[in-house]
Amino acid sequence: MILIEKLTKIFGRGTPNEVRALREVSLGIDAGEFVVVIGTNGSGKSTLLNAIAGGFPPDSGRISLNGRDVTRMTDHQRARHIGRVFQNPFSGTAPTMTIAENLRLASLRGIPKRLSIGLDNGEMARLKERSAELGMGLETRLETPIGLLSGGERQALTLLMATLRRPDILLLDEHTAALDPRSAEQVMRLTERIVREHHLTTLMVTHDMEEAVHHGSRLLMMHEGTVALDLRAEAKAGLTPAILLGKFAELRIMAR
Amino acid sequence: MELTFGAIALGLAYAFLGMGIFITMRIFNFPDITADGSLTLGGSLTAALLTAGVNPCLAVLASMIAGFLAGTATGAIYTKLKVNGLLSGILVMTALYSVNLRIMGRSNMPLISVRTILSPFADIADPTLRILAPILLFLLLVAAFILFLRWLFRTDFGLAMRATGDNEVMIAAQGVATDRMKIIGIGCSNALIALSGSLVAQYQGFADIGMGIGIIVFGLASVIIGDTLAGLFGERFRIGIRLICVAIGSILFRGLVAATLSIGLNPTDLKIVTAIFVLLTIMLPQARSALRGKPR
Ligand SMILES: Nc1ncnc2c1ncn2[C@@H]1O[C@H](COP(=O)(O)OP(=O)(O)OP(=O)(O)O)[C@@H](O)[C@H]1O
Ligand SMILES: [Mg+2]
């Protein structure tokens, strides 16, 4: 599904601020895997997700999706395959546009936006049904500008938008980090349900050890631009937050 | 009386300038100041084509296309060459000055004895009707374009245009090439501005190389008055109504200009009156909330 080969990304190359955000990362992710990505601040988690989404061209290495080399494709060219939710609830939605308008654009992800009214009564009814799936009562507020909603509501909608058209890959970058505990839990429950229902291949970055332990089928720990730990199946299932914190400590000691 | 009708007709002709600025400033969040050049481009190309005997409707259409191209130039310099937005507009506007002089071959072109879109009205016997006819034509055009834009911004393509100005990260994630959207958007804006120049030239009976100087502020003024009006009706989101308010803003602003002239101020004083007026309109909403004791 996703094949990453010797991917390197250096920010500010040749300047005093040079950062090797990814160092020859190689990684294969199968269809249907739910990969949780953890790691300290600046370890390269967001950079990895951005590289998959096509936010920037890598310095070296290759990325292929479904056997197709996408290394040189821009983010909007890859959008057909990728659904994204960002850490900042403001990033995923257009605030002055209504819920319905945002959802309409999301249901056209990766396909041409044509010069015809797509948001007709039939489409409204369909979007109403889909947004009811969130169970937040947003289906009655489809004409409300999204900017008037709470962060949790916006994040839940962004999640719906990312999956309204089934993506090959779902990228979640600390998508619950900016929410209060209750909304975070609600969005996490939604995530789990949507990922299961649609059998989505998912990468989820989190700093929450509980989240990392309880969700997903595989766990990656990033450290200084490399994948320091890659646990699957039983090894992942047997994890506790305490074990993970122990692994972090080991990495710190090794770095000394 | 004549003065009032004149102000209304010009206000309607300049409403397209306001709509153009509205598109770049409010929809795309882009400070486009190509207007000074593209308005004159519309006027000068219309003048040159009409003088050459081209059908007036074709001349108007050609002006709009030229304005569109000027806008795409600004958009391309901004997005592809990564030049600062204001500077991109200044560059194109400056270049257009020479282009416009080339088009006309001189700095001023009278349109008194050539056929314009307003010529058919010259034969109307009734004097009141003769004055009213251009106003009706412009009103019809303004209404048609507002309806068109209202439709455009509700199509899937139009939604993508609005999202480009609203949240670029979001719309890029939906697979939209935002650079292309901006180029097309700035193009459309300047097509409307050139249309404005074309109509103004035909109404005034001449095109002048200086007709666009400082015109961006007139456009801004109509947009800001329009926003204030729309705010009074509690309308912050519906584009059709906001565009109607921009058109009304343009007419009100022309009325103010006429009033300024009629109380004996010199036409050369207009720019400072404009600047002060725009400043006051911007301050108005703030002053209102201050009076209500709300923190902004
Ligand atoms: N656009 C950029 N320009 C320069 N440096 C960058 C840029 N993006 C990331 N970096 C640097 O690359 C490194 C990796 O950043 P990245 O955002 O991938 O970390 P992260 O693991 O997501 O951290 P966090 O947990 O804080 O989100 C950091 O040192 C960061 O400062
Ligand atoms: Mg990050």
Side-chain angles (χ1 to χ4, degrees), chain A residues 76 79 86 90-97 101-102 104 106 108-110 113-116 118 145 161, chain B residues 151-152 154-160 162-163 166-167 169-178 237:
Chain A
H76 58 262
F86 307 88
F90 299 126
S91 297
T93 47
T96 70
M97 298 174 69
E101 288 167 341
N102 273 273
R104 172 65 191 166
L108 295 174
R109 178 167 43 74
K113 282 63 175 173
R114 294 190 306 163
L115 263 179
S116 60
M161 286 168 65
Chain B
W151 171 81
L152 175 70
R154 287 166 65 215
T155 65
D156 291 336
F157 187 80
L159 292 182
R162 287 164 55 198
D166 209 16
N167 183 347
V169 175
M170 171 267 185
I171 196 64
Q174 313 307 334
V176 169
T178 51
F237 298 106

mmCIF file of all heavy atoms in Angstrom, chain A residues 76 79 86 90-97 101-102 104 106 108-110 113-116 118 145 161, chain B residues 151-152 154-160 162-163 166-167 169-178 237:
data_model
loop_
_atom_site.group_PDB
_atom_site.id
_atom_site.type_symbol
_atom_site.label_atom_id
_atom_site.label_comp_id
_atom_site.label_asym_id
_atom_site.label_seq_id
_atom_site.Cartn_x
_atom_site.Cartn_y
_atom_site.Cartn_z
ATOM 1 N N HIS A 76 -1.804 18.394 -4.062
ATOM 2 C CA HIS A 76 -3.151 18.323 -4.624
ATOM 3 C C HIS A 76 -3.298 17.202 -5.642
ATOM 4 O O HIS A 76 -4.384 16.701 -5.866
ATOM 5 C CB HIS A 76 -3.618 19.672 -5.160
ATOM 6 C CG HIS A 76 -2.747 20.258 -6.213
ATOM 7 N ND1 HIS A 76 -1.804 21.215 -5.936
ATOM 8 C CD2 HIS A 76 -2.686 20.021 -7.525
ATOM 9 C CE1 HIS A 76 -1.185 21.533 -7.052
ATOM 10 N NE2 HIS A 76 -1.698 20.834 -8.027
ATOM 11 N N ALA A 79 -4.161 14.181 -3.560
ATOM 12 C CA ALA A 79 -5.314 14.330 -2.662
ATOM 13 C C ALA A 79 -6.378 13.260 -2.862
ATOM 14 O O ALA A 79 -7.087 12.904 -1.942
ATOM 15 C CB ALA A 79 -5.937 15.710 -2.836
ATOM 16 N N PHE A 86 -5.716 17.602 10.697
ATOM 17 C CA PHE A 86 -4.550 18.271 11.259
ATOM 18 C C PHE A 86 -4.719 18.482 12.766
ATOM 19 O O PHE A 86 -5.818 18.362 13.300
ATOM 20 C CB PHE A 86 -4.349 19.630 10.581
ATOM 21 C CG PHE A 86 -4.304 19.553 9.091
ATOM 22 C CD1 PHE A 86 -5.467 19.622 8.331
ATOM 23 C CD2 PHE A 86 -3.101 19.393 8.422
ATOM 24 C CE1 PHE A 86 -5.440 19.540 6.942
ATOM 25 C CE2 PHE A 86 -3.059 19.310 7.038
ATOM 26 C CZ PHE A 86 -4.226 19.391 6.298
ATOM 27 N N PHE A 90 -8.568 24.547 13.146
ATOM 28 C CA PHE A 90 -8.828 25.576 12.142
ATOM 29 C C PHE A 90 -8.273 25.191 10.770
ATOM 30 O O PHE A 90 -8.643 25.779 9.774
ATOM 31 C CB PHE A 90 -8.234 26.923 12.563
ATOM 32 C CG PHE A 90 -8.824 27.437 13.842
ATOM 33 C CD1 PHE A 90 -8.013 27.788 14.907
ATOM 34 C CD2 PHE A 90 -10.198 27.554 13.991
ATOM 35 C CE1 PHE A 90 -8.563 28.247 16.089
ATOM 36 C CE2 PHE A 90 -10.752 28.015 15.175
ATOM 37 C CZ PHE A 90 -9.933 28.364 16.232
ATOM 38 N N SER A 91 -7.361 24.239 10.724
ATOM 39 C CA SER A 91 -6.689 23.938 9.459
ATOM 40 C C SER A 91 -7.544 23.158 8.479
ATOM 41 O O SER A 91 -7.363 23.265 7.279
ATOM 42 C CB SER A 91 -5.414 23.133 9.721
ATOM 43 O OG SER A 91 -4.514 23.875 10.480
ATOM 44 N N GLY A 92 -8.493 22.387 8.996
ATOM 45 C CA GLY A 92 -9.174 21.434 8.125
ATOM 46 C C GLY A 92 -10.450 21.917 7.483
ATOM 47 O O GLY A 92 -11.023 21.233 6.643
ATOM 48 N N THR A 93 -10.929 23.099 7.894
ATOM 49 C CA THR A 93 -12.212 23.564 7.372
ATOM 50 C C THR A 93 -12.115 25.030 6.938
ATOM 51 O O THR A 93 -11.288 25.775 7.446
ATOM 52 C CB THR A 93 -13.308 23.460 8.456
ATOM 53 O OG1 THR A 93 -12.806 24.016 9.669
ATOM 54 C CG2 THR A 93 -13.695 22.020 8.705
ATOM 55 N N ALA A 94 -12.993 25.424 6.009
ATOM 56 C CA ALA A 94 -13.036 26.819 5.548
ATOM 57 C C ALA A 94 -14.078 27.564 6.390
ATOM 58 O O ALA A 94 -15.274 27.311 6.251
ATOM 59 C CB ALA A 94 -13.394 26.880 4.074
ATOM 60 N N PRO A 95 -13.637 28.469 7.296
ATOM 61 C CA PRO A 95 -14.516 29.017 8.334
ATOM 62 C C PRO A 95 -15.713 29.834 7.847
ATOM 63 O O PRO A 95 -16.776 29.736 8.435
ATOM 64 C CB PRO A 95 -13.570 29.898 9.165
ATOM 65 C CG PRO A 95 -12.414 30.180 8.273
ATOM 66 C CD PRO A 95 -12.274 28.966 7.402
ATOM 67 N N THR A 96 -15.579 30.607 6.762
ATOM 68 C CA THR A 96 -16.718 31.445 6.368
ATOM 69 C C THR A 96 -17.720 30.661 5.528
ATOM 70 O O THR A 96 -18.788 31.165 5.200
ATOM 71 C CB THR A 96 -16.294 32.702 5.581
ATOM 72 O OG1 THR A 96 -15.832 32.284 4.294
ATOM 73 C CG2 THR A 96 -15.209 33.477 6.293
ATOM 74 N N MET A 97 -17.368 29.438 5.177
ATOM 75 C CA MET A 97 -18.286 28.644 4.365
ATOM 76 C C MET A 97 -19.109 27.718 5.266
ATOM 77 O O MET A 97 -18.688 27.371 6.361
ATOM 78 C CB MET A 97 -17.495 27.864 3.318
ATOM 79 C CG MET A 97 -16.757 28.822 2.385
ATOM 80 S SD MET A 97 -15.653 28.015 1.231
ATOM 81 C CE MET A 97 -16.817 27.173 0.174
ATOM 82 N N GLU A 101 -21.268 23.368 2.527
ATOM 83 C CA GLU A 101 -20.306 23.715 1.474
ATOM 84 C C GLU A 101 -18.963 23.022 1.701
ATOM 85 O O GLU A 101 -18.328 22.527 0.761
ATOM 86 C CB GLU A 101 -20.133 25.238 1.395
ATOM 87 C CG GLU A 101 -21.345 25.928 0.794
ATOM 88 C CD GLU A 101 -21.356 27.449 0.983
ATOM 89 O OE1 GLU A 101 -20.637 27.962 1.872
ATOM 90 O OE2 GLU A 101 -22.090 28.120 0.247
ATOM 91 N N ASN A 102 -18.532 22.994 2.968
ATOM 92 C CA ASN A 102 -17.290 22.290 3.284
ATOM 93 C C ASN A 102 -17.400 20.803 2.947
ATOM 94 O O ASN A 102 -16.499 20.226 2.347
ATOM 95 C CB ASN A 102 -16.957 22.454 4.773
ATOM 96 C CG ASN A 102 -16.165 23.728 5.050
ATOM 97 O OD1 ASN A 102 -14.937 23.737 4.970
ATOM 98 N ND2 ASN A 102 -16.861 24.808 5.367
ATOM 99 N N ARG A 104 -19.421 19.402 0.840
ATOM 100 C CA ARG A 104 -19.521 19.221 -0.605
ATOM 101 C C ARG A 104 -18.116 19.184 -1.229
ATOM 102 O O ARG A 104 -17.811 18.324 -2.040
ATOM 103 C CB ARG A 104 -20.347 20.356 -1.220
ATOM 104 C CG ARG A 104 -20.354 20.389 -2.740
ATOM 105 C CD ARG A 104 -21.038 19.168 -3.323
ATOM 106 N NE ARG A 104 -20.817 19.083 -4.774
ATOM 107 C CZ ARG A 104 -21.056 18.007 -5.494
ATOM 108 N NH1 ARG A 104 -21.523 16.912 -4.921
ATOM 109 N NH2 ARG A 104 -20.840 18.003 -6.789
ATOM 110 N N ALA A 106 -15.404 18.413 0.225
ATOM 111 C CA ALA A 106 -14.713 17.199 0.660
ATOM 112 C C ALA A 106 -15.181 15.988 -0.132
ATOM 113 O O ALA A 106 -14.398 15.082 -0.409
ATOM 114 C CB ALA A 106 -14.928 16.972 2.146
ATOM 115 N N LEU A 108 -15.774 15.973 -3.086
ATOM 116 C CA LEU A 108 -15.153 16.073 -4.408
ATOM 117 C C LEU A 108 -13.633 15.970 -4.311
ATOM 118 O O LEU A 108 -12.919 16.349 -5.233
ATOM 119 C CB LEU A 108 -15.511 17.409 -5.070
ATOM 120 C CG LEU A 108 -16.972 17.639 -5.411
ATOM 121 C CD1 LEU A 108 -17.158 19.059 -5.924
ATOM 122 C CD2 LEU A 108 -17.443 16.651 -6.459
ATOM 123 N N ARG A 109 -13.128 15.476 -3.171
ATOM 124 C CA ARG A 109 -11.666 15.442 -2.987
ATOM 125 C C ARG A 109 -10.997 14.695 -4.133
ATOM 126 O O ARG A 109 -11.324 13.559 -4.430
ATOM 127 C CB ARG A 109 -11.314 14.768 -1.658
ATOM 128 C CG ARG A 109 -9.810 14.651 -1.424
ATOM 129 C CD ARG A 109 -9.479 14.271 0.009
ATOM 130 N NE ARG A 109 -10.348 13.225 0.514
ATOM 131 C CZ ARG A 109 -10.255 11.938 0.158
ATOM 132 N NH1 ARG A 109 -9.329 11.569 -0.686
ATOM 133 N NH2 ARG A 109 -11.089 11.064 0.644
ATOM 134 N N GLY A 110 -10.072 15.396 -4.779
ATOM 135 C CA GLY A 110 -9.307 14.754 -5.836
ATOM 136 C C GLY A 110 -10.008 14.644 -7.174
ATOM 137 O O GLY A 110 -9.441 14.151 -8.131
ATOM 138 N N LYS A 113 -13.579 20.128 -9.771
ATOM 139 C CA LYS A 113 -14.726 20.900 -9.300
ATOM 140 C C LYS A 113 -15.296 21.622 -10.516
ATOM 141 O O LYS A 113 -14.669 22.515 -11.063
ATOM 142 C CB LYS A 113 -14.296 21.938 -8.254
ATOM 143 C CG LYS A 113 -14.041 21.442 -6.837
ATOM 144 C CD LYS A 113 -12.967 20.502 -6.700
ATOM 145 C CE LYS A 113 -12.563 20.039 -5.331
ATOM 146 N NZ LYS A 113 -11.562 18.967 -5.494
ATOM 147 N N ARG A 114 -16.501 21.228 -10.910
ATOM 148 C CA ARG A 114 -17.015 21.738 -12.174
ATOM 149 C C ARG A 114 -17.895 22.968 -12.015
ATOM 150 O O ARG A 114 -18.343 23.297 -10.923
ATOM 151 C CB ARG A 114 -17.765 20.636 -12.902
ATOM 152 C CG ARG A 114 -16.807 19.521 -13.316
ATOM 153 C CD ARG A 114 -17.462 18.561 -14.233
ATOM 154 N NE ARG A 114 -18.693 18.050 -13.636
ATOM 155 C CZ ARG A 114 -19.645 17.450 -14.339
ATOM 156 N NH1 ARG A 114 -19.521 17.345 -15.643
ATOM 157 N NH2 ARG A 114 -20.714 16.993 -13.743
ATOM 158 N N LEU A 115 -18.133 23.603 -13.165
ATOM 159 C CA LEU A 115 -18.948 24.819 -13.181
ATOM 160 C C LEU A 115 -20.427 24.477 -13.189
ATOM 161 O O LEU A 115 -21.157 24.849 -14.105
ATOM 162 C CB LEU A 115 -18.612 25.643 -14.429
ATOM 163 C CG LEU A 115 -17.609 26.773 -14.248
ATOM 164 C CD1 LEU A 115 -17.361 27.482 -15.574
ATOM 165 C CD2 LEU A 115 -18.081 27.774 -13.199
ATOM 166 N N SER A 116 -20.870 23.740 -12.193
ATOM 167 C CA SER A 116 -22.293 23.472 -12.085
ATOM 168 C C SER A 116 -22.631 23.358 -10.611
ATOM 169 O O SER A 116 -21.758 23.063 -9.797
ATOM 170 C CB SER A 116 -22.654 22.176 -12.816
ATOM 171 O OG SER A 116 -21.937 21.110 -12.236
ATOM 172 N N GLY A 118 -23.454 21.738 -7.546
ATOM 173 C CA GLY A 118 -23.451 20.353 -7.094
ATOM 174 C C GLY A 118 -24.202 20.197 -5.787
ATOM 175 O O GLY A 118 -24.638 19.117 -5.413
ATOM 176 N N PRO A 145 -22.168 28.666 9.102
ATOM 177 C CA PRO A 145 -20.744 28.775 8.765
ATOM 178 C C PRO A 145 -19.915 27.978 9.784
ATOM 179 O O PRO A 145 -20.162 28.063 10.982
ATOM 180 C CB PRO A 145 -20.462 30.273 8.894
ATOM 181 C CG PRO A 145 -21.791 30.923 8.745
ATOM 182 C CD PRO A 145 -22.783 29.972 9.321
ATOM 183 N N MET A 161 -14.971 14.844 6.739
ATOM 184 C CA MET A 161 -14.563 15.324 5.420
ATOM 185 C C MET A 161 -13.445 14.464 4.829
ATOM 186 O O MET A 161 -13.425 14.172 3.637
ATOM 187 C CB MET A 161 -14.120 16.790 5.502
ATOM 188 C CG MET A 161 -15.282 17.771 5.667
ATOM 189 S SD MET A 161 -14.726 19.425 6.114
ATOM 190 C CE MET A 161 -13.806 19.864 4.643
ATOM 191 N N TRP B 151 -24.428 32.854 -8.841
ATOM 192 C CA TRP B 151 -24.467 31.471 -9.329
ATOM 193 C C TRP B 151 -23.057 30.863 -9.310
ATOM 194 O O TRP B 151 -22.844 29.777 -8.783
ATOM 195 C CB TRP B 151 -25.044 31.445 -10.751
ATOM 196 C CG TRP B 151 -24.916 30.103 -11.414
ATOM 197 C CD1 TRP B 151 -25.737 29.038 -11.236
ATOM 198 C CD2 TRP B 151 -23.892 29.685 -12.324
ATOM 199 N NE1 TRP B 151 -25.286 27.974 -11.979
ATOM 200 C CE2 TRP B 151 -24.159 28.334 -12.656
ATOM 201 C CE3 TRP B 151 -22.783 30.312 -12.890
ATOM 202 C CZ2 TRP B 151 -23.356 27.608 -13.531
ATOM 203 C CZ3 TRP B 151 -21.977 29.595 -13.761
ATOM 204 C CH2 TRP B 151 -22.266 28.259 -14.077
ATOM 205 N N LEU B 152 -22.092 31.619 -9.865
ATOM 206 C CA LEU B 152 -20.718 31.113 -9.972
ATOM 207 C C LEU B 152 -20.187 30.639 -8.616
ATOM 208 O O LEU B 152 -19.620 29.553 -8.499
ATOM 209 C CB LEU B 152 -19.798 32.207 -10.531
ATOM 210 C CG LEU B 152 -18.314 31.845 -10.591
ATOM 211 C CD1 LEU B 152 -18.052 30.784 -11.656
ATOM 212 C CD2 LEU B 152 -17.452 33.072 -10.858
ATOM 213 N N ARG B 154 -21.686 29.565 -6.186
ATOM 214 C CA ARG B 154 -22.389 28.424 -5.602
ATOM 215 C C ARG B 154 -22.090 27.130 -6.366
ATOM 216 O O ARG B 154 -22.442 26.053 -5.914
ATOM 217 C CB ARG B 154 -23.904 28.693 -5.592
ATOM 218 C CG ARG B 154 -24.288 29.738 -4.529
ATOM 219 C CD ARG B 154 -25.692 30.252 -4.729
ATOM 220 N NE ARG B 154 -26.673 29.224 -4.530
ATOM 221 C CZ ARG B 154 -27.814 29.146 -5.229
ATOM 222 N NH1 ARG B 154 -28.081 30.034 -6.169
ATOM 223 N NH2 ARG B 154 -28.664 28.190 -4.989
ATOM 224 N N THR B 155 -21.447 27.252 -7.528
ATOM 225 C CA THR B 155 -21.058 26.034 -8.242
ATOM 226 C C THR B 155 -19.908 25.361 -7.488
ATOM 227 O O THR B 155 -19.293 25.962 -6.609
ATOM 228 C CB THR B 155 -20.561 26.338 -9.671
ATOM 229 O OG1 THR B 155 -19.367 27.109 -9.568
ATOM 230 C CG2 THR B 155 -21.595 27.101 -10.474
ATOM 231 N N ASP B 156 -19.622 24.117 -7.855
ATOM 232 C CA ASP B 156 -18.513 23.413 -7.211
ATOM 233 C C ASP B 156 -17.205 24.161 -7.426
ATOM 234 O O ASP B 156 -16.387 24.301 -6.515
ATOM 235 C CB ASP B 156 -18.405 21.986 -7.775
ATOM 236 C CG ASP B 156 -19.585 21.135 -7.339
ATOM 237 O OD1 ASP B 156 -20.186 21.459 -6.294
ATOM 238 O OD2 ASP B 156 -19.904 20.157 -8.031
ATOM 239 N N PHE B 157 -17.015 24.680 -8.642
ATOM 240 C CA PHE B 157 -15.808 25.450 -8.938
ATOM 241 C C PHE B 157 -15.746 26.699 -8.064
ATOM 242 O O PHE B 157 -14.707 27.044 -7.500
ATOM 243 C CB PHE B 157 -15.809 25.844 -10.424
ATOM 244 C CG PHE B 157 -14.544 26.500 -10.885
ATOM 245 C CD1 PHE B 157 -13.431 25.730 -11.180
ATOM 246 C CD2 PHE B 157 -14.464 27.881 -11.016
ATOM 247 C CE1 PHE B 157 -12.246 26.325 -11.602
ATOM 248 C CE2 PHE B 157 -13.283 28.482 -11.440
ATOM 249 C CZ PHE B 157 -12.180 27.704 -11.736
ATOM 250 N N GLY B 158 -16.883 27.385 -7.949
ATOM 251 C CA GLY B 158 -16.952 28.602 -7.136
ATOM 252 C C GLY B 158 -16.692 28.325 -5.661
ATOM 253 O O GLY B 158 -16.035 29.119 -4.983
ATOM 254 N N LEU B 159 -17.211 27.200 -5.169
ATOM 255 C CA LEU B 159 -16.936 26.827 -3.772
ATOM 256 C C LEU B 159 -15.431 26.666 -3.575
ATOM 257 O O LEU B 159 -14.867 27.113 -2.578
ATOM 258 C CB LEU B 159 -17.635 25.506 -3.418
ATOM 259 C CG LEU B 159 -19.167 25.490 -3.359
ATOM 260 C CD1 LEU B 159 -19.656 24.107 -2.934
ATOM 261 C CD2 LEU B 159 -19.695 26.540 -2.393
ATOM 262 N N ALA B 160 -14.787 26.034 -4.570
ATOM 263 C CA ALA B 160 -13.339 25.839 -4.471
ATOM 264 C C ALA B 160 -12.609 27.184 -4.495
ATOM 265 O O ALA B 160 -11.612 27.383 -3.802
ATOM 266 C CB ALA B 160 -12.852 24.947 -5.606
ATOM 267 N N ARG B 162 -13.821 30.065 -3.346
ATOM 268 C CA ARG B 162 -14.010 30.693 -2.034
ATOM 269 C C ARG B 162 -13.133 30.038 -0.987
ATOM 270 O O ARG B 162 -12.530 30.713 -0.153
ATOM 271 C CB ARG B 162 -15.486 30.623 -1.634
ATOM 272 C CG ARG B 162 -16.345 31.584 -2.436
ATOM 273 C CD ARG B 162 -17.812 31.245 -2.315
ATOM 274 N NE ARG B 162 -18.244 31.191 -0.925
ATOM 275 C CZ ARG B 162 -19.362 30.588 -0.537
ATOM 276 N NH1 ARG B 162 -20.127 29.993 -1.432
ATOM 277 N NH2 ARG B 162 -19.696 30.587 0.715
ATOM 278 N N ALA B 163 -13.042 28.710 -1.042
ATOM 279 C CA ALA B 163 -12.223 28.007 -0.053
ATOM 280 C C ALA B 163 -10.744 28.359 -0.213
ATOM 281 O O ALA B 163 -10.006 28.403 0.766
ATOM 282 C CB ALA B 163 -12.431 26.501 -0.180
ATOM 283 N N ASP B 166 -10.296 31.272 1.768
ATOM 284 C CA ASP B 166 -10.697 31.082 3.159
ATOM 285 C C ASP B 166 -9.702 30.215 3.924
ATOM 286 O O ASP B 166 -9.343 30.521 5.061
ATOM 287 C CB ASP B 166 -12.080 30.422 3.168
ATOM 288 C CG ASP B 166 -12.884 30.780 4.393
ATOM 289 O OD1 ASP B 166 -12.512 31.755 5.072
ATOM 290 O OD2 ASP B 166 -13.870 30.097 4.670
ATOM 291 N N ASN B 167 -9.282 29.120 3.317
ATOM 292 C CA ASN B 167 -8.349 28.213 3.983
ATOM 293 C C ASN B 167 -7.610 27.396 2.932
ATOM 294 O O ASN B 167 -8.095 26.375 2.453
ATOM 295 C CB ASN B 167 -9.097 27.284 4.944
ATOM 296 C CG ASN B 167 -8.166 26.377 5.710
ATOM 297 O OD1 ASN B 167 -6.994 26.250 5.373
ATOM 298 N ND2 ASN B 167 -8.673 25.752 6.751
ATOM 299 N N VAL B 169 -4.887 25.569 3.090
ATOM 300 C CA VAL B 169 -4.468 24.227 3.486
ATOM 301 C C VAL B 169 -5.605 23.238 3.239
ATOM 302 O O VAL B 169 -5.422 22.164 2.669
ATOM 303 C CB VAL B 169 -4.084 24.202 4.984
ATOM 304 C CG1 VAL B 169 -3.765 22.791 5.427
ATOM 305 C CG2 VAL B 169 -2.911 25.128 5.239
ATOM 306 N N MET B 170 -6.817 23.666 3.651
ATOM 307 C CA MET B 170 -7.968 22.784 3.524
ATOM 308 C C MET B 170 -8.257 22.463 2.060
ATOM 309 O O MET B 170 -8.461 21.306 1.697
ATOM 310 C CB MET B 170 -9.173 23.453 4.191
ATOM 311 C CG MET B 170 -10.489 22.762 3.962
ATOM 312 S SD MET B 170 -11.325 23.464 2.525
ATOM 313 C CE MET B 170 -12.865 22.604 2.560
ATOM 314 N N ILE B 171 -8.261 23.480 1.208
ATOM 315 C CA ILE B 171 -8.696 23.218 -0.165
ATOM 316 C C ILE B 171 -7.612 22.478 -0.953
ATOM 317 O O ILE B 171 -7.920 21.690 -1.843
ATOM 318 C CB ILE B 171 -9.161 24.527 -0.882
ATOM 319 C CG1 ILE B 171 -9.958 24.201 -2.144
ATOM 320 C CG2 ILE B 171 -8.018 25.457 -1.182
ATOM 321 C CD1 ILE B 171 -11.261 23.474 -1.909
ATOM 322 N N ALA B 172 -6.338 22.696 -0.592
ATOM 323 C CA ALA B 172 -5.273 21.920 -1.237
ATOM 324 C C ALA B 172 -5.430 20.447 -0.871
ATOM 325 O O ALA B 172 -5.217 19.565 -1.703
ATOM 326 C CB ALA B 172 -3.901 22.438 -0.815
ATOM 327 N N ALA B 173 -5.859 20.185 0.377
ATOM 328 C CA ALA B 173 -6.070 18.796 0.800
ATOM 329 C C ALA B 173 -7.240 18.169 0.042
ATOM 330 O O ALA B 173 -7.371 16.950 -0.004
ATOM 331 C CB ALA B 173 -6.311 18.728 2.303
ATOM 332 N N GLN B 174 -8.105 19.003 -0.539
ATOM 333 C CA GLN B 174 -9.210 18.465 -1.358
ATOM 334 C C GLN B 174 -8.798 18.332 -2.826
ATOM 335 O O GLN B 174 -9.628 18.070 -3.687
ATOM 336 C CB GLN B 174 -10.467 19.337 -1.272
ATOM 337 C CG GLN B 174 -10.894 19.753 0.112
ATOM 338 C CD GLN B 174 -11.035 18.592 1.074
ATOM 339 O OE1 GLN B 174 -11.283 17.461 0.675
ATOM 340 N NE2 GLN B 174 -10.837 18.844 2.351
ATOM 341 N N GLY B 175 -7.513 18.571 -3.087
ATOM 342 C CA GLY B 175 -7.025 18.330 -4.438
ATOM 343 C C GLY B 175 -7.146 19.504 -5.388
ATOM 344 O O GLY B 175 -7.140 19.336 -6.595
ATOM 345 N N VAL B 176 -7.253 20.723 -4.845
ATOM 346 C CA VAL B 176 -7.355 21.885 -5.717
ATOM 347 C C VAL B 176 -5.989 22.547 -5.872
ATOM 348 O O VAL B 176 -5.283 22.765 -4.889
ATOM 349 C CB VAL B 176 -8.367 22.897 -5.155
ATOM 350 C CG1 VAL B 176 -8.298 24.212 -5.901
ATOM 351 C CG2 VAL B 176 -9.769 22.316 -5.226
ATOM 352 N N ALA B 177 -5.611 22.842 -7.118
ATOM 353 C CA ALA B 177 -4.371 23.572 -7.379
ATOM 354 C C ALA B 177 -4.647 25.037 -7.062
ATOM 355 O O ALA B 177 -5.234 25.761 -7.857
ATOM 356 C CB ALA B 177 -3.950 23.399 -8.826
ATOM 357 N N THR B 178 -4.242 25.466 -5.858
ATOM 358 C CA THR B 178 -4.645 26.794 -5.395
ATOM 359 C C THR B 178 -4.032 27.912 -6.245
ATOM 360 O O THR B 178 -4.646 28.957 -6.424
ATOM 361 C CB THR B 178 -4.268 27.005 -3.922
ATOM 362 O OG1 THR B 178 -2.894 26.672 -3.754
ATOM 363 C CG2 THR B 178 -5.100 26.128 -3.021
ATOM 364 N N PHE B 237 -22.565 36.653 5.200
ATOM 365 C CA PHE B 237 -22.115 35.488 4.459
ATOM 366 C C PHE B 237 -22.672 35.362 3.049
ATOM 367 O O PHE B 237 -22.017 34.836 2.181
ATOM 368 C CB PHE B 237 -22.419 34.227 5.263
ATOM 369 C CG PHE B 237 -21.687 34.199 6.572
ATOM 370 C CD1 PHE B 237 -22.340 34.425 7.761
ATOM 371 C CD2 PHE B 237 -20.310 33.986 6.597
ATOM 372 C CE1 PHE B 237 -21.650 34.419 8.958
ATOM 373 C CE2 PHE B 237 -19.612 33.974 7.785
ATOM 374 C CZ PHE B 237 -20.281 34.191 8.981
#
